[in-house]
Amino acid sequence: MNQKSCSFPNEKELRVGQGERLSGGHSVSYDNNSALSAFRGIPISELKKHRILPALTAEANGWEPAVVSPELLRAQEEWEAVETIQPGTGCQAISEQPGQLISFSEALQHFQTVDLSSFKKRIQPTIRRTGLAALRHYLFGPPKLHQGLREERDLVLTIAQCGLDNQDPVHGRVLQTIYKKLTGSKFDCALHGDHWEDLGFQGANPATDLRGAGFLALLHLLYLVMDSKTLMMAQEILRLSRHHIQQFPFCLMSVNITRIAIQALREECLSRECNRQQKVIPVVNSFYAATFLHLAHIWRTEQKTISDSGFVLKDLEMLAKKSPRRLLKTLETYLAGVSKGQASMLGAQKYYGPQAPYSKDLTFTGVCDLQPHSSESTWLI
């Protein structure tokens, strides 16, 4: 780029005239065809800086080109492009560009920095037990969560109280990322529409299916699709959910798995593992993924259909709370196999057979539709 020193006229100095001079010492005769030629050797950035290019591309104090030349149009396009160039990088800015994928950690950081005090007031971190149930839990139940981990646990439960806000750019990016990763699309989609039903929501607005799980349900889906190994698992379960006989609503089933994870956390079923790892959020994420994997395995191997959904989820919840470590070990084995390129425990892809669109007539029974299996359990509504 030419870096030689020169000064530039202001817009008033661009009036039509014969023999007018630039302050750099160049004589310029302004006619309709030669005005642009005089500036051809000057960098676009300098023209923009000194407000010359806007004057050349629009009417300036009565001067208007008689003919819009290709050179003029090209110069105007280059000037407009300067608006989106990051200084010193030469790359177009992407921070404000729509359609940028969002990672799980970035989405989580959003919730760690915004004010959630109004939502935090609603949470009940642990199950209230009385009488013999309290005594039995004290004597034979899992250990209490370490004091230093309780704030992280409360954050998880607080996010579960937050709904989907389509006016929040981060919420929108989470939805877009989930959609793109599951479908392979490179384009944005509407935040409302039938395409969400194709992924297994009950309606055109995903927000209506988050009861009992809140935005945590979407964070769990985001966690599932943003890691290459768990993404493969998610895609396998999605294919299973579209089986022409065994189909089920994928995203709605995922929301129910998140509800089970919330209950397991509140009933302290995950405390031992959280204490061992000295973390809460990674344990809850892995527990969610392991429970979803186990459901898919049961669904496939036992030939379950949508009419079995309520019973399957009830049994799954009991198993998950009783043996969380067993499920986590199964997930570790599965992911290790994926890393080695081994066949999935969900079976070969050919099993899935004909794919069918989701039927709007499916009757799905989730965990919120079931009666608690014991007096110790309560459901988040």
Side-chain angles (χ1 to χ4, degrees):
M1 180 177 292
N2 184 5
Q3 299 293 334
K4 70 180 181 178
S5 174
C6 63
S7 58
F8 295 88
N10 58 33
E11 293 181 32
K12 291 183 179 180
E13 291 175 307
L14 291 175
R15 292 191 301 269
V16 176
Q18 298 296 326
E20 291 186 310
R21 302 178 63 83
L22 289 176
S23 57
H26 301 285
S27 177
V28 180
S29 177
Y30 285 93
D31 59 44
N32 291 347
N33 295 319
S34 64
L36 190 63
S37 299
F39 299 101
R40 184 172 294 167
I42 303 175
I44 288 292
S45 59
E46 292 298 323
L47 293 178
K48 173 179 178 291
K49 177 179 178 182
H50 293 279
R51 301 180 58 81
I52 293 177
L53 195 53
L56 289 176
T57 56
E59 180 176 330
N61 294 325
W63 176 68
E64 183 176 8
V67 178
V68 180
S69 69
E71 290 180 319
L72 183 61
L73 292 175
R74 184 165 58 254
Q76 183 173 5
E77 291 172 355
E78 292 177 7
W79 174 72
E80 292 172 348
V82 171
E83 295 289 312
T84 61
I85 300 296
Q86 292 282 16
T89 66
C91 300
Q92 290 202 359
I94 59 174
S95 59
E96 297 298 327
Q97 291 292 328
Q100 185 181 6
L101 299 182
I102 187 169
S103 66
F104 176 85
S105 59
E106 184 181 352
L108 177 62
Q109 186 178 28
H110 170 74
F111 285 97
Q112 291 172 325
T113 55
V114 298
D115 181 13
L116 300 177
S117 56
S118 60
F119 298 104
K120 190 173 182 178
K121 294 176 182 177
R122 306 177 190 174
I123 70 172
Q124 183 184 339
T126 57
I127 296 296
R128 296 191 184 100
R129 298 178 176 88
T130 59
L132 290 176
L135 179 61
R136 183 169 61 251
H137 182 77
Y138 176 77
L139 294 175
F140 307 109
K144 288 187 175 296
L145 188 68
H146 289 169
Q147 183 69 37
L149 298 175
R150 293 178 186 177
E151 183 177 348
E152 189 177 351
R153 173 202 61 193
D154 291 351
L155 175 62
V156 173
L157 298 177
T158 300
I159 295 174
Q161 292 291 329
C162 300
L164 171 61
D165 181 2
N166 287 330
Q167 300 305 312
D168 188 321
V170 172
H171 290 210
R173 287 176 62 199
V174 169
L175 273 181
Q176 296 285 2
T177 301
I178 292 169
Y179 179 82
K180 289 178 179 179
K181 283 291 188 175
L182 287 176
T183 64
S185 173
K186 297 184 181 300
F187 303 100
D188 285 348
C189 64
L191 298 182
H192 293 170
D194 293 344
H195 49 281
W196 294 112
E197 296 181 49
D198 294 338
L199 287 182
F201 285 104
Q202 288 190 115
N205 181 7
T208 60
D209 286 337
L210 304 183
R211 180 170 63 99
F215 203 86
L216 184 63
L218 296 179
L219 281 188
H220 276 167
L221 277 171
L222 182 66
Y223 161 77
L224 208 61
V225 303
M226 286 305 287
D227 181 272
S228 59
K229 291 180 289 187
T230 51
L231 173 60
M232 184 176 297
M233 183 186 92
Q235 291 171 334
E236 283 196 274
I237 299 175
L238 180 62
R239 287 195 296 270
L240 174 61
S241 75
R242 290 174 170 173
H243 187 272
H244 65 294
I245 296 175
Q246 293 185 264
Q247 63 176 306
F248 60 85
F250 173 83
C251 285
L252 188 57
M253 187 70 83
S254 174
V255 172
N256 277 268
I257 302 299
T258 296
R259 291 170 182 159
I260 291 175
I262 292 170
Q263 282 303 112
L265 182 63
R266 295 179 67 229
E267 294 181 23
E268 301 177 287
C269 301
L270 303 180
S271 295
R272 190 185 307 278
E273 190 64 25
C274 290
N275 291 342
R276 188 181 73 83
Q277 296 190 28
Q278 284 298 296
K279 298 175 182 177
V280 174
I281 292 175
V283 171
V284 174
N285 288 347
S286 296
F287 178 80
Y288 154 81
T291 306
F292 207 173
L293 178 66
H294 188 73
L295 176 135
H297 179 68
I298 294 298
W299 201 272
R300 182 188 72 82
T301 58
E302 299 185 11
Q303 302 291 300
K304 299 298 184 182
T305 65
I306 195 65
S307 61
D308 302 311
S309 59
F311 304 105
V312 172
L313 285 169
K314 184 176 180 179
D315 292 342
L316 179 65
E317 182 193 12
M318 294 177 64
L319 172 65
K321 291 178 181 178
K322 182 179 179 180
S323 307
R325 184 59 186 158
R326 172 184 164 189
L327 292 184
L328 291 172
K329 282 290 188 183
T330 301
L331 177 66
E332 291 174 9
T333 301
Y334 170 85
L335 296 180
V338 171
S339 298
K340 296 176 182 178
Q342 297 174 355
S344 161
M345 68 177 300
L346 291 180
Q349 183 172 347
K350 64 182 181 181
Y351 161 77
Y352 299 104
Q355 302 286 297
Y358 287 118
S359 170
K360 295 184 179 182
D361 298 326
L362 290 177
T363 302
F364 180 83
T365 304
V367 292
C368 283
D369 303 311
L370 299 172
Q371 293 298 318
H373 61 265
S374 74
S375 60
E376 296 184 14
S377 298
T378 58
W379 299 109
L380 292 175
I381 302 299

